[in-house]
Every structure is written in structure tokens, then in C-alpha cells.
């Protein structure tokens, strides 16, 4: 952000309008703002900060505090800043909350805080005026303006005061802050949300996994205790004993089953024969039952027939229902028409009575007509006095002229008021239009957000696909390198074994009986190695294989590292992509909607603004005041004419003394004539209205009668339809051989129709089946002797009892064995699960503890990230501080250490090359502290601009601090600021120091006076 022009009106110590054109300092880059204490130097910085963010440079004053005590009551306090951002130019204007004069009455009223933001790209500074500030981006709504400016600049008011505008009294705040306070400051400057999310995610996942570990441990211990054994060994011994019991019980059960099988086969053969006789008896019984149910089945068949006939009548029944409903509605409309007719009859009768009453007043009107004739005769007598009448007419004309002028002025005044009212309506419409514009801008913002989200989704999808391809390529590469490593290992093993064999032969050839073996120390050598001891080339082959194995191992490691990295990148990208919501709307559709809204917004913005309408209102209000003054002059002249007229009237009255006293007053006769005429005309008008009312009510009565006739006809047609539908339905009932009751009863059977039909079908099928069974059973019982089953059953039962007893014993011991085995497997599985969870939790828990502050430095991950960023800041700051202090001082971050509860890692120390020791920054003198603070502020500014690609820091402003420097330190500090200015950055400083003024002559001087301060340009020729 580069300021171009700052305009302050009735702001702080400035009573009028003061303009600071920063373009006049662009050539030098470094400029000063000078003036005595209280002149208003800091107010310039206040104006910059207030224009952008609605706050003072020190964040200690409200907008209402900016009102100048020297300013006249009719001048509003306001600030306007023209600034460039890259190749764009903007204008921001603010009016703080304040008391101002009301437009009428001379009283004061409350002015609300308002703000405007304009896009002035393409306009030269001199072309930006009150009438042309560019295209409005946001109007009056301060929150919208502040949000838009923060988004454009890329930083907030707090960040502005820390990296661009360094306010008086807060210069050393960042330098001397402790770890906690500095962390909060740096969090505002750098985006560390990613690290916060990561440490929170690790903490949550570790907590959840730790709970699983505890649950698994409790589950394992519970299962062991439930088995009734305290150790694994006791449980295994019990399983062996149960196994022996199962073997013995199984042998006893096999013997009992063999005996039971013999008895059962005999019984089953007898039962098979007996079952044939039972089946014959049962089939005959079933046939009797089915024959007994035949009458019920016949009744159900009759019901099905009724249902079929009733279904054919449903359409006629529905038509009859509709006809009855239509008749009911027609009857209701007929009743309403009768009510309307009665009302019309009453109204017509009332009108006739009123007409008759008026017609009875004819005699009174005739008397008024005779009085009118008499008054006209007296009027003729008045006119006989011609000369006086002429003079009176002249005076009357003069009075009328002034009266007409007054009326014209009043009409002009009324027209102006009407115009004001119209403009007020236009202002209200402009306000509503502003709301519409705000809604459209909000929709445009939403569309831009969706378009951006679509772009993020599409880019993430493309990136994930690319990373997947890279991951697959790494997989193939790793498999190839792994195979190569395995081949190299095999070749190395072969070469090593060959070399070892040759070395053994060489050793054996030198050993003699009784000599100590150099390998094992034995003097007996029963099996000496034999073979060809030639080793030519084996050592070279071994070394070559060993070298090839190392190369293959390094290639496999690199391939594996690449695979791990590519897999992590792919999984990370895939996870992020999976969390992205798939766009609901295509980008082309969104862009089309954005284009339409932009066109609509442009049309609305082309209409007159509220500010232009208010200016026109002010102009019309001034015109109204001028007309009011002119009207007052005309009324004075009219009073003079009225007096002359009264004199002429008096002379005229003396001349017409013959006229009765009651009519000698000027205008009395005419007034009486007018009154009588008014009465006569009123009677005629009343008579005319009564006749009209009588005719209108008669017409309404006629229409009501016609409407009633129509409704009666409709009701008759509806009734005929009901009768017709009824006849059709009754005729169909007769044809279907049903009456109303049987029809309704058949309708109740509709839901049961399928069940009834199924029952009839089942009965027929069962009848056929049972007859077949009887024939089959008769054939099966021919030539078969039926035996007594009781004895045979008793023998089987006895055998079964023996089997059950043996089986129960076996089941008991088997279940115990199974239970013990299941328990052992369960305990082993729970132990494996516990071990697995412990293995999973160990690295995750450790990582969670480390990232959430459980480490020797008590630093969370986010603070560690901030510390790394702060190291960059200190590096950048030391590049400034070294030259400014002749390489004496260097800012260093205290890494922290063990012990204590306070967070560490962001504390700043100063390294003093003179003493070769570290010490606290608070130990620096005022001048040393100023230089260190200046270097740190410049370092912050450099790093913020580097890490935030969209943030442009084209200017920096410093308020006070140079008075604490000696001449040498001052020179070094100013050289640093000159370097900044040489790098195309605008640098402004406030200072009382004369050396600063001489070194930096260019800038602005603040000259105070009893009527307020003024700003003047300083140059090298000042």
C-alpha cells in the first residue's frame, strides 16, 4: 500500500481542510514530518489509520475524539485517503461520529460514523475530486468498507500498526514482549492455522486411542478373572484335564448309542407300518372335515360374485356423489344471492326516502330566490356611484396585484417543497437501491467464493491424479531396485562363500598334528578341508560383488525413500481431496450468473448516488429560503395596498348611504348574494346526488334480482343432475341384482376379496388332495400286520435314557473343555489387541505430547512454527541492526530449557559483541532499544511481505524515538531508512531532532496557531 494524498478536514488540531500530497515526496522516498509538540504530527498518522480502519494510530481514541475544537460548527470532520495498491488506485473517505448542526432550526444532531470506498484506477490525483472519486465499491456501511480494505491490503489494523505504522509509545512493544505476548503478536501477522489444526488433531486422536488401550486392558483382565483362573498356566492345566474326561465320556456314549440304534430300528419299522394305518384314518377324517365346510365355501363363492357386481357400480356411485356436492354448492350460492337482493332492496328504499325528503324543500328554495332578486337590486344602486367606484377599483386592483404576487410566491414555495419531497423520496429509493446493491454484491461474493472453491476442487483433483501417477511410478521403480538388490545379495553370498572355502583350504594346508588351530585353538584336526586351493580372481570378484551390493542397496534406499515420500504426498493429497465437497454447480454456470449480476450492479451504480441527491436537496433548500424572503417583502407591500383600499372603500360607503345599513359594508352585499347562491346551488347538488343514488341503487337491485334468478336456475340444473344420477345408480343396482344395503356390504368385502378367493381355491385343492391320500393309504395297508407299539416304545425309551445320560455327561465335560479353550483364545486375542493398541499409541501419544507442549521447552507445535518464522524475522532484523550498531548488537531467540511452568522459545535476547554475552533486551538504553526496535519492525515487515504473496508493503511510518540516539547511531539509523527508500519504499518519520531535520529536509511542517494548525511542504530549498 502506497499513500498518494491525505485530506484532513476539521480533524484534530486542523480547523479547516489540510491536504498532504505524498506524491511530492516520491522522488526522495524518505521524508520527515516536523513541528512543535501538540502541533498535530501524530494526527497525520491518526488520519492514515482512521481512513483505512476507522481507528487511531495508537488504538486509544474513538472517532468522536478526532473532532477539531477550532472548526466551525457547520464544517463536518472527515478524512479522505487516496492510495495505490499495485496497479490499482483506491479512494477511502470517512466521516466519524460527531455532533453537527441540523439542517433546520439551528440545533445540533448526531452524525453517525460513515465510510465510502471507491475504485479510482485510471484517474490522476488531480482528477479525483468531491464530484468524481471513481466507482463506488462500498458506501456508508463502515463494516463493509473495513472488511473490503482488510481483504485488499491483506492485513488488519493491528498488523498495520506493527509492520507499517509504528506509533508513538508502542515502538518497543514487540521487542520487549515475553513468549506469550510475542506469540499473540506473531499469530496476528502469520497464518499458523495449519499447525493449530495438526496439534489439535494429534491430541484428539491420541486421547481416543489411549481410551481404547485402557478399554482393551480392562477387557483382557476381566476375561481372565471370569474363567476362575489367576494365571495362563492354571488355565492350560485345566484344559488338559478336561480333555481326558471327554475321551472317557465319549466311549460310554458310543456303547449306549449302539444299543439304542438296534432298539430304534425295530421300533421305526413297526411305526412305519402303523403310520400307514394312521394316515388312512387321518385322510378319512380330513375328508369329513372338508365336506362339513362346504356350505361356508359356497357362501364365500356367493360373496365373491357380489363383490364382482358391486365393482361395476363404483363409477356410477362416484358420479352421484359429485352431483350431490355440486348441488350443495349451488344451493349455498343461491342463499348468498338472496341475501344480496335483500340488501339491495333496503338500499334502494332508503335512497327513495331521501329523494322524497329533498323534494319537499322546494318552497324554501323559492324564498331564497326572491331574496336573491332583492339583493341584486341593491347591488345596482351601489354601482351607480361610478367615480368612487373607479377609484375603489384602482385601489382594489393594486391590492389584487400584490395579492397575486404573494400567491405566486406561495405557489413557487409550494413547488419547491414538492420538489424537496420528491427528492426525499429519491433519497429513500437510493437507500433501498443501496440495499439491493449490497445484496447483489453479497451474491457476487458468494459466486466468486463458489468459483474459487470449484477451482480449488479441480486443481486438487488434477494434483491428486498427478501424484497417483508419480506414486505408481515410484512403486515400479522400487520393485525393480529391490529385485536388483536381491540379485546383488545372492551374488555377494556366492562370492563370499567361494572366498571363505579357499581361505579354509589354505589354513588346512599349513596345519600339522599337535599344532594349535588359529580359529578354535584345538590340537586335534580330524577333518581338514580338502580341494583346489587356487584363489585367483576370487578376492576381486568378492570385492566387486560387495561394491555392487552397496550400490544396489543405496539405489533401493533412495527408491524406497522416494516411494515413501510420493505415497505420503499422494495420501495427503487424496485425503485433502476427499474432504473437499464436490461442486454442486458447474463453473460456467456460476460465471454466467456472475456476469449477469455484474451487469445489473453496473446499471444500479450508474443511477444517481445518495450523495448527489443530498447535494441537490441542499440547493433546493437554499432556493426555498430565498423565495420565503421574497414572499415576506411582497406581503408588506400587500398590507400597504390594503390600507389604501380601505380608505377608498370608506369614501365609497358614504356615497351609498341610501343602501340599508346591513349592506353598506364593502363586500357584504356580494357575500350575501354568494351565500344565497351557495345555498341554492347546494340544494340543487343535493337533489342531483339523491336522484343519482336512487338510480344506482335501483340498478344494483336489478342486478341482484338477475343474479338470484341465475343462481336459482343453476341450483335447479344441479338438482336435475342429482335426480338423473340417482336414477342411473338405482337402475344399475337392480340390474346387478343388488340393493343399497347389499352394495355397501359388498364394498366392505373389497379388501378381503383376495383372501376369500384364496380360501375357495385352497378348499378345492385340499379336497382333491385328501381323496388322493385315501386311495394311496388303502394300497399301502394291504397285506400288512399292525403291531402294538407300546412295548417297543418302552424298550427304545430305556435305551434313550441311557444315551441321554451318557450324552449329558459328555456335553458337560465337552462344554467345560470348550469354555476353557474359548476363554484362553479370548484372553490371548485381547492380549494381542492390547499389544497392538499399545504399539499404535506409543508414537502417536509421544507425537501428541510433543506437539502440545509436553517437551523440555514447553512449546506447542504452533509456537514452534512461530519460532521458526521468528528466526526469519530476527535474521532480517539483524541485517538492519548490524550496520546501525557497527556490528555490536545482534538479536537472538532464546530457545528455552527445562524447568519451570512458563512457555519459552520466543523470548528475545541481545548479543553484545563488546562483552561477548547475551542479555535481556530490557537492559538496552533508550537509543539502543530504539535501534533494535526499528530493526525488528523492519525485519517483521520484510518477512510478512515475503511469506504473504498478496501483501504489498510499499510504505513505512515511524513516530518519534530519534531523540534518544547519539549522532553516530542517528547517522546509521538514517542510512538504513535511506536504503529502504532507495528500494522503492516510501518512508515517513516524525521527529523533534534538529539533526534529523537537516539530514532529511524534505517532507511536511506542521505550524500551529490559535485558530488551528496548518501543513506546509518542506523541500531542500525550504
Amino acid at each position: 500500500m502506497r499513500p498518494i494524498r491525505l485530506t484532513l478536514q476539521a480533524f484534530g488540531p486542523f480547523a479547516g481542510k489540510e491536504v498532504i500530497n505524498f506524491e511530492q515526496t516520491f522522488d526522495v522516498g524518505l521524508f520527515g514530518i516536523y513541528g512543535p509538540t501538540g502541533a498535530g504530527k501524530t494526527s497525520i498518522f491518526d488520519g492514515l489509520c482512521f481512513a483505512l480502519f476507522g481507528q487511531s494510530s495508537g488504538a486509544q481514541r474513538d472517532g468522536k475524539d478526532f473532532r477539531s475544537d477550532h472548526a466551525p460548527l457547520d464544517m463536518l470532520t472527515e478524512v479522505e485517503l487516496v492510495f495505490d495498491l499495485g496497479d490499482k488506485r483506491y479512494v477511502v473517505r470517512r466521516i466519524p461520529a460527531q455532533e453537527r448542526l441540523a439542517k433546520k432550526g439551528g440545533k445540533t444532531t448526531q452524525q453517525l460514523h460513515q465510510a465510502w470506498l471507491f475504485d479510482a484506477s485510471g484517474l490522476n490525483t488531480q482528477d479525483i475530486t468531491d464530484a468524481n472519486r471513481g466507482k463506488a465499491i462500498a458506501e456508508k456501511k463502515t463494516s463493509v468498507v473495513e472488511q473490503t480494505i482488510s481483504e485488499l491490503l491483506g492485513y488488519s489494523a493491528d498488523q498495520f500498526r506493527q509492520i507499517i505504522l509504528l506509533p508513538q509509545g508502542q515502538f518497543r512493544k514487540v521487542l520487549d514482549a515475553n513468549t506469550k505476548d510475542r506469540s499473540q503478536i506473531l499469530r496476528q501477522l502469520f497464518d499458523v492455522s495449519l499447525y493449530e489444526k495438526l496439534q489439535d488433531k494429534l491430541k484428539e486422536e491420541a486421547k481416543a486411542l489411549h481410551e481404547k488401550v485402557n478399554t482393551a486392558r480392562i477387557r483382557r483382565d476381566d476375561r481372565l478373572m471370569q474363567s476362575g483362573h489367576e494365571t495362563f498356566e492354571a488355565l492350560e492345566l485345566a484344559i488338559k484335564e478336561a480333555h481326558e474326561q471327554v475321551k472317557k465320556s465319549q466311549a460310554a456314549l458310543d456303547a449306549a448309542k449302539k444299543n439304542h440304534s438296534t432298539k430304534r430300528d425295530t421300533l421305526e419299522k413297526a411305526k412305519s407300518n402303523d403310520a400307514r394305518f394312521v394316515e388312512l384314518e387321518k385322510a378319512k377324517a380330513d375328508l369329513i372335515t372338508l365336506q362339513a365346510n362346504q356350505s361356508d365355501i359356497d357362501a364365500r363363492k356367493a360373496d365373491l360374485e357380489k363383490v364382482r357386481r358391486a365393482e361395476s357400480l363404483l363409477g356410477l356411485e362416484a358420479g352421484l356423489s359429485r352431483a350431490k356436492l355440486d348441488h350443495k354448492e349451488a344451493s349455498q350460492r343461491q342463499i348468498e344471492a338472496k341475501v344480496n337482493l335483500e340488501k339491495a332492496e333496503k338500499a334502494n328504499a332508503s335512497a327513495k326516502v331521501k329523494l322524497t325528503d329533498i323534494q319537499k324543500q322546494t318552497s324554501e328554495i323559492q324564498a331564497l330566490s326572491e331574496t336573491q332578486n332583492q339583493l341584486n337590486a341593491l347591488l345596482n344602486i351601489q354601482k351607480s356611484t361610478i367615480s368612487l367606484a373607479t377609484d375603489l377599483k384602482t385601489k382594489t386592483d393594486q391590492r389584487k396585484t400584490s395579492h397575486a404576487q404573494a400567491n405566486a410566491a406561495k405557489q413557487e414555495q409550494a413547488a419547491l417543497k414538492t420538489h424537496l419531497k420528491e427528492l426525499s423520496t429519491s433519497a429513500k429509493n437510493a437507500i433501498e437501491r443501496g440495499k439491493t446493491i449490497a445484496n447483489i454484491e453479497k451474491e457476487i461474493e458468494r459466486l466468486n467464493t463458489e468459483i474459487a472453491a470449484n477451482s480449488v476442487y479441480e486443481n486438487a483433483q488434477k494434483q491428486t491424479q498427478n501424484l497417483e501417477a508419480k506414486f505408481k511410478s515410484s512403486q515400479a521403480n522400487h520393485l525393480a531396485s529391490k529385485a536388483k538388490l536381491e540379485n546383488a545379495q545372492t551374488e555377494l553370498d556366492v562370492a563370499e562363500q567361494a572366498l571363505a572355502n579357499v581361505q579354509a583350504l589354505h589354513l588346512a594346508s599349513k596345519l600339522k598334528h599337535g599344532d594349535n588351530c588359529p580359529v578354535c585353538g584345538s590340537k586335534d584336526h580330524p577333518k581338514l578341508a580338502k580341494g583346489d586351493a587356487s584363489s585367483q580372481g576370487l578376492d576381486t570378484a568378492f570385492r566387486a560383488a560387495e561394491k555392487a551390493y552397496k550400490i544396489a542397496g543405496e539405489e533401493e534406499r533412495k527408491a524406497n525413500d522416494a516411494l515413501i515420500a510420493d505415497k505420503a504426498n499422494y495420501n495427503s493429497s487424496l485425503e485433502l481431496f476427499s474432504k473437499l465437497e464436490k461442486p454442486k454447480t458447474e463453473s460456467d454456470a456460476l460465471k454466467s450468473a456472475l456476469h449477469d449480476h455484474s451487469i445489473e450492479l453496473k446499471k444500479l451504480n450508474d443511477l444517481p448516488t445518495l450523495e448527489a441527491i443530498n447535494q441537490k436537496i441542499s440547493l433546493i433548500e437554499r432556493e426555498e429560503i430565498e423565495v420565503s424572503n421574497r414572499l415576506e417583502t411582497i406581503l408588506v407591500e400587500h398590507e400597504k395596498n390594503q390600507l389604501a383600499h380601505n380608505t377608498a372603500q370608506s369614501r365609497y360607503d358614504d356615497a351609498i348611504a341610501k343602501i340599508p345599513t346591513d349592506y353598506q359594508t364593502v363586500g357584504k352585499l356580494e357575500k350575501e348574494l354568494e351565500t344565497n347562491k351557495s345555498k341554492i346551488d347546494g340544494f340543487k347538488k343535493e337533489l342531483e346526488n339523491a336522484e343519482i343514488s336512487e338510480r344506482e341503487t335501483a340498478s344494483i337491485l336489478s342486478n341482484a334480482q338477475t343474479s338470484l334468478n341465475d343462481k336459482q336456475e343453476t341450483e335447479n340444473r344441479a338438482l336435475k343432475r342429482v335426480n338423473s344420477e340417482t336414477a342411473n345408480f338405482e337402475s344399475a343396482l337392480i340390474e346387478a341384482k343388488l340393493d343399497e344395503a347389499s352394495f355397501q356390504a359388498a364394498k366392505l368385502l373389497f379388501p378381503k376379496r383376495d383372501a376369500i378367493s384364496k380360501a375357495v381355491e385352497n378348499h378345492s385343492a385340499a379336497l382333491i388332495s385328501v381323496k388322493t391320500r385315501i386311495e394311496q393309504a388303502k394300497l399301502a395297508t394291504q397285506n400288512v400286520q399292525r403291531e402294538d407299539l407300546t412295548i417297543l416304545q418302552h424298550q427304545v425309551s430305556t435305551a434313550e435314557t441311557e444315551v441321554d445320560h451318557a450324552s449329558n455327561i459328555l456335553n458337560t465335560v465337552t462344554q467345560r473343555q470348550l469354555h476353557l479353550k474359548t476363554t484362553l483364545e479370548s484372553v490371548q486375542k485381547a492380549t494381542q489387541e492390547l499389544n497392538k493398541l499399545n504399539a499404535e499409541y506409543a508414537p502417536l501419544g509421544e507425537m501428541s505430547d510433543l506437539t502440545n507442549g509436553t517437551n523440555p521447552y514447553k512449546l506447542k507445535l504452533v509456537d514452534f512454527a512461530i519460532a521458526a518464522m521468528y528466526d526469519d524475522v530476527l535474521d532480517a532484523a539483524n541485517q538492519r541492526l548490524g550496520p546501525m550498531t557497527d556490528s555490536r548488537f545482534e538479536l537472538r531467540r532464546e530457545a528455552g530449557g527445562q524447568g519451570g511452568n512458563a512457555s519459552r522459545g520466543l523470548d528475545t535476547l541481545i548479543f553484545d559483541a563488546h562483552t561477548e554475552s547475551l542479555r535481556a533486551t530490557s537492559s538496552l538504553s533508550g537509543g539502543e532499544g530504539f535501534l533494535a526496535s526499528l530493526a525488528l519492525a523492519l525485519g517483521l515487515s520484510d518477512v510478512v511481505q515475503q511469506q504473504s504473496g498478496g501483501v504489498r508493503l510499499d510504505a513505512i511510518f515511524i513516530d518519534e524515538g530519534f531523540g534518544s540516539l547519539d549522532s553516530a547511531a542517528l547517522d546509521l539509523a538514517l542510512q538504513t531508512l535511506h536504503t529502504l527508500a532507495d528500494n522503492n519504499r516510501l518512508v515517513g518519520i516524525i521527529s523533534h531532532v534538529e539533526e534529523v531535520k537537516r539530514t532529511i529536509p524534505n517532507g511536511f511542517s506542521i505550524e500551529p496557531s490559535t485558530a488551528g494548525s496548518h501543513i506546509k511542504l518542506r523541500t531542500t530549498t525550504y
Side-chain angles (χ1 to χ4, degrees), residues 764-991:
S764 298
L767 195 59
I768 295 171
S769 175
V770 76
K771 289 179 179 179
T772 302
R773 285 167 53 203
I774 291 173
E775 292 300 324
Q776 292 175 347
K778 285 180 179 180
L779 292 174
T781 55
Q782 288 179 357
N783 303 321
V784 176
Q785 182 67 36
R786 191 173 187 179
E787 299 182 58
D788 187 356
L789 300 177
T790 304
I791 297 173
L792 297 176
Q793 183 63 52
H794 177 71
Q795 293 174 353
V796 171
S797 297
T798 300
E800 284 179 351
T801 301
E802 294 173 354
V803 171
D804 290 342
H805 179 67
S807 179
N808 289 337
I809 293 174
L810 178 61
N811 286 338
T812 300
V813 296
T814 301
Q815 288 298 324
R816 173 170 171 72
Q817 181 190 36
L818 181 61
H819 173 70
L820 291 173
K821 286 183 177 180
T822 302
T823 301
L824 180 61
E825 292 173 357
S826 177
V827 171
Q828 290 173 337
K829 184 177 180 181
T831 301
Q832 292 174 356
E833 181 182 357
L834 177 60
N835 293 336
K836 180 181 178 182
L837 289 173
N838 275 322
E840 292 179 9
Y841 173 74
L844 182 61
E846 181 180 4
M847 185 65 70
S848 175
D849 290 342
L850 288 174
T851 57
N852 283 277
T854 305
N855 54 62
Y857 305 107
K858 295 181 174 58
L859 274 180
K860 293 185 177 181
L861 176 63
V862 64
D863 292 324
F864 182 82
I866 290 175
M869 296 175 186
Y870 190 49
D871 286 339
D872 294 339
V873 172
L874 292 181
D875 289 342
N878 286 326
Q879 293 178 19
R880 314 281 189 187
L881 183 59
M884 285 193 292
T885 62
D886 197 19
S887 300
R888 177 183 176 184
F889 293 122
E890 180 181 335
L891 292 170
R892 294 186 181 180
R893 180 174 64 85
E894 183 182 21
Q898 297 181 355
N901 296 321
S903 297
R904 299 174 180 173
L906 293 179
D907 290 343
T908 306
L909 299 175
I910 193 78
F911 176 75
D912 190 340
H914 288 183
T915 62
E916 295 186 352
S917 63
L918 290 168
R919 54 191 170 98
T921 56
S922 59
S923 67
L924 293 172
S925 66
E928 294 169 343
F930 173 78
L931 293 176
S933 299
L934 176 60
L936 186 58
L938 296 177
L940 271 173
S941 178
D942 292 340
V943 175
V944 168
Q945 183 163 261
Q946 291 170 3
Q947 295 194 3
S948 302
V951 177
R952 299 181 61 90
L953 305 177
D954 299 322
I956 188 169
F957 300 93
I958 305 168
D959 189 353
E960 301 298 350
F962 296 96
S964 59
L965 303 179
D966 58 28
S967 59
L970 179 61
D971 288 341
L972 292 172
L974 294 179
Q975 287 177 16
T976 299
L977 296 179
H978 272 296
T979 302
L980 282 178
D982 292 341
N983 291 330
N984 200 29
R985 186 180 294 187
L986 187 65
V987 182
I989 62 173
I990 288 178
S991 180

Side-chain angles (χ1 to χ4, degrees), residues 290 297 300 754-769:
L290 289 172
I297 294 300
R300 293 192 179 194
D754 293 340
I756 295 172
S757 178
K758 186 68 175 177
V760 171
E761 292 174 0
N762 290 343
H763 181 269
S764 298
L767 195 59
I768 295 171
S769 175

Side-chain angles (χ1 to χ4, degrees), residues 45-117:
F45 287 0
D46 285 339
L48 283 170
C49 196
F50 179 73
L52 291 171
F53 302 103
Q55 302 178 20
S56 68
S57 61
Q60 297 172 345
R61 286 179 284 178
D62 295 327
K64 62 184 179 181
D65 298 328
F66 294 135
R67 175 71 182 170
S68 175
D69 296 332
H70 304 286
L73 292 175
D74 60 348
M75 179 180 288
L76 281 176
T77 296
E78 62 178 281
V79 178
E80 180 185 271
L81 174 64
V82 181
F83 64 94
D84 286 352
L85 194 61
D87 58 354
K88 302 284 286 185
R89 174 162 291 182
Y90 298 94
V91 179
V92 59
R93 176 182 174 225
R94 282 188 188 271
I95 298 177
Q98 58 190 288
E99 290 286 332
R100 65 168 176 82
L101 279 177
K103 293 183 180 179
K104 295 182 180 180
K107 297 182 180 180
T108 61
T109 185
Q110 182 65 33
Q111 168 68 45
L112 299 178
H113 181 189
Q114 295 179 326
W116 295 261
L117 179 63

Side-chain angles (χ1 to χ4, degrees), residues 36 59 227 284 384 523 799 818:
S227 70
K284 291 179 179 179
S384 62
K523 293 184 179 183
L818 181 61

